[in-house]
Amino acid sequence: MLVDYAELEMTKGERTVYENGDFIAVCPWWATWPFEVMVLSKVHKRALVDFDEKERESLAEVLSEVTRRYDNLFETQFPYSKYIGMSK
């Protein structure tokens, strides 16, 4: 389901914060928190250990880019919280 949502967001391009070859970071339309961002894999994976080295580097890139943009927006290094959810 999240891969389908990622495809929808890539098609629309309205809420995209950052995108690379493996991931897309979006502000979901159902966001609860101000400045909430969801990072989505473009392919279904069951667990973090299922990512290959290239995908792990892509994930690090997207997380780094999102936090860099927040730091620039607020003009300070900001504390962040992160939740990683995986399907069973």
Side-chain angles (χ1 to χ4, degrees):
M1 185 163 74
L2 289 177
V3 172
D4 292 339
Y5 178 60
E7 289 174 5
L8 174 68
E9 289 295 351
M10 286 185 290
T11 301
K12 294 186 115 188
E14 296 173 350
R15 290 178 281 275
T16 302
V17 175
Y18 184 76
E19 180 179 355
N20 63 22
D22 299 302
F23 294 90
I24 183 170
V26 299
C27 293
W29 58 267
W30 65 84
T32 304
W33 304 100
F35 304 101
E36 182 175 335
V37 171
M38 175 181 252
V39 176
L40 301 162
S41 175
K42 292 181 178 180
V43 296
H44 176 75
K45 298 287 181 165
R46 291 180 48 103
L48 287 173
V49 296
D50 293 337
F51 291 136
D52 62 27
E53 185 174 344
K54 179 187 169 294
E55 291 167 324
R56 289 191 300 269
E57 289 174 5
S58 291
L59 178 58
E61 176 189 318
V62 74
L63 293 174
S64 177
E65 186 64 28
V66 168
T67 56
R68 183 186 65 76
R69 290 177 185 213
Y70 275 140
D71 290 348
N72 289 338
L73 175 66
F74 295 111
E75 298 179 348
T76 188
Q77 288 185 338
F78 212 76
Y80 304 99
S81 62
K82 175 175 39 180
Y83 168 78
I84 298 175
M86 295 295 197
S87 62
K88 292 182 178 185

